[in-house]
């Protein structure tokens, strides 16, 4: 499988992911109580009496980026397990992201002291990452919206799904191509996790979606990507980048609706849906108009650099930032929707 | 425990560890057959019948640096296990080194395709790295000569073990201080591994030592460190670095004799010595006079930079390289010894 890797900005400088991931942090916060309660009620492990009190619990966070959000999320999970079992447990935490993620920064910013043995796992979570039956709880936050690759047809001028100079999932045929790639990825994800989790193990997923019955370009984030795309078109019109490059650029991001996700999980069949909650993002929380452009840059810069070359990046984000603040009004219409946050707990069928 | 971290040179450039670790590669080669045979005869695992053929084996390599030697060593271990059990096994390999090791380069140079799930583990192997009873086989090559810190007394002008402007383990009192630090470190190492290995798990160690009854400054490597130290003294005499900085610099390396190691393992009591072989390094192998200065630089540069600041590094290694080639004769005397390579297989007592 050809995969696109799209590392978040590394390091810990001004435009690093580590310092520009407040939106992702909000998702972690919004799922905290939900996850604690799910663990209290659903997380069952068999204690091996031959091992006395030395039971080890293995937790994985998939799509960890460079921190710090992953550390909050993991600590919340450990606290919930600790308060459930009230015995001395040893935790091993597997932090996973693409091989091009900046693991050096991740490791150097690990909390200290900490209550777990940390481990880094390089690789795409759309494939296998762990031996069979080796993980007790897998968590993933703000990562499952990233596709393993751009749907082939959207960049093919001869396809009805050709996306022209739009850079995101917009229009019926394009949405169909995105949805089909998402289905393939999500199935691969579930199949891999089903092998890796112990029987009864939990899969805790937090990611964004569109409200049932809506389309992505109605959402604030969709409108934001529209601005990013039109900034690229502006640059092409000025002859600063090629039109073909803009036409072949598409964001590998997809936001499904809750009912679409539910169907994918049921069709897959490896997991029971134990909890599923959609959490309405308030407009203010999700689009913090001052912070958002930096969040977008930290997440997308590497991918844009990779496609267009590095020379255009500064100017692109200047244009984008200006457009963004000049067009605040488009986020404020009555028909504008915010994405929902999906909080889902799945249990591996035995 | 205060630890000194001394990462090998990162990246994959001209003076990187990744491209200047042939001496360490020779150690891996020299232990290959020894390790294969030990696994064939000694590695016993209980297959859990409830897991069918999906048994997973966990292997750790401690002090992996940035590759590629660790990949050869690990593949050799996997081949030996595979040819012993002749069944479908899943391997998870834990690559460990200090948190300041360049794990990004390690991950990006992983062999592909590969037969195992790779994982990076940041931290000092003189402390705990893994949950209890979680690893089947632990391997460490060319790493156990690095102390967790410089013995305190050797940098204390009021101590009889003060090492003045010598930078390595030389002289009776200094050797005593180094030996005592080594004892503490080696015990910590064995105690941590004893907790982490499954009962019957193997601990395979490859590292350098001095011949029984000899002292380190008689060896080729000792003489080499003498040249490095005298290059620093030359720079201090020219006023390019301070005399105090040279006096407070000491290499955190110790080479024990086989009998010293044997006693440490027996006194510790957690492991049985299943195999112990000393492998005489030929002079030509260990001191490849063309390559050696680069090997030394790749291994020591970060530590030297850290102590003296970066400005002096180029000139130091120029002086050192020149001295090294001007003094080839000192490696050729009849009384000059080469280090031995120790190959040891320990089994965790149940």
């Amino acid at each position: 499988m050809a995969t696109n890797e799209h590392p978040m900005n590394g390091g810990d400088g001004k435009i690093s992911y580590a310092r520009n991931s407040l939106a992702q942090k909000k998702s972690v916060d919004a799922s905290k109580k939900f996850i604690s309660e799910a663990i209290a009620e659903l997380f069952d492990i068999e204690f091996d009496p031959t091992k006395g009190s030395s039971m080890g619990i293995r937790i994985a966070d998939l799509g960890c980026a460079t921190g710090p959000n992953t550390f909050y999320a993991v600590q919340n999970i450990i606290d919930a397990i600790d308060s459930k079992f009230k015995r001395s447990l040893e935790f091993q935490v597997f932090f996973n992201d693409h091989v091009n993620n900046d693991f050096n920064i991740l490791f150097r910013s690990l909390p200290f002291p900490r209550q777990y043995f940390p481990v880094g796992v390089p690789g795409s979570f759309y494939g296998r990452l762990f031996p069979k039956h080796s993980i007790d709880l897998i968590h993933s936050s703000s990562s499952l919206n990233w596709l393993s690759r751009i749907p082939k047809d959207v960049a093919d001028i001869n396809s009805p799904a050709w996306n022209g100079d739009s850079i995101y999932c917009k229009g019926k045929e394009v949405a169909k191509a995105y949805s089909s790639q998402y289905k393939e990825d999500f199935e691969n994800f579930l199949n891999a996790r089903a092998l890796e989790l112990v029987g009864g193990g939990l899969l805790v997923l937090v990611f964004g979606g569109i409200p049932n019955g809506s389309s992505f370009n109605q959402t604030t984030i969709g409108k934001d990507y529209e601005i990013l795309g039109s900034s690229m078109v502006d640059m092409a019109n000025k002859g600063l980048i090629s039109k073909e490059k803009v036409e072949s650029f598409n964001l590998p991001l997809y936001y499904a609706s809750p009912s679409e996700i539910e169907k994918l999980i049921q069709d897959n069949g490896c997991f029971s849906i134990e909890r599923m909650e959609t959490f309405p993002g308030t407009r203010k929380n999700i689009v913090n108009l001052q912070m958002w452009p930096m969040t977008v840059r930290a997440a997308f810069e590497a991918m844009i650099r990779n496609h267009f070359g590095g020379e255009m990046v500064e100017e692109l984000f200047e244009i984008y930032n200006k457009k963004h603040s000049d067009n605040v009004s488009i986020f404020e219409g009555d028909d504008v929707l915010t994405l929902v946050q999906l909080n889902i707990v799945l249990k591996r069928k035995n």
Side-chain angles (χ1 to χ4, degrees), chain A residues 212-228:
Chain A
N212 281 329
S214 69
S215 67
F216 183 59
N217 59 325
Q218 293 175 274
T219 68
T220 50
I221 307 283
K223 289 178 189 301
D224 198 72
Y225 294 171
E226 182 80 35
I227 294 175
L228 183 62

Side-chain angles (χ1 to χ4, degrees), chain A residues 300-315:
Chain A
F300 294 162
E301 177 170 343
M303 189 171 47
I304 290 170
R305 225 171 244 283
N306 194 35
H307 185 84
F308 291 98
E311 311 77 38
M312 57 78 80
V313 169
E314 282 304 327
E315 183 156 358

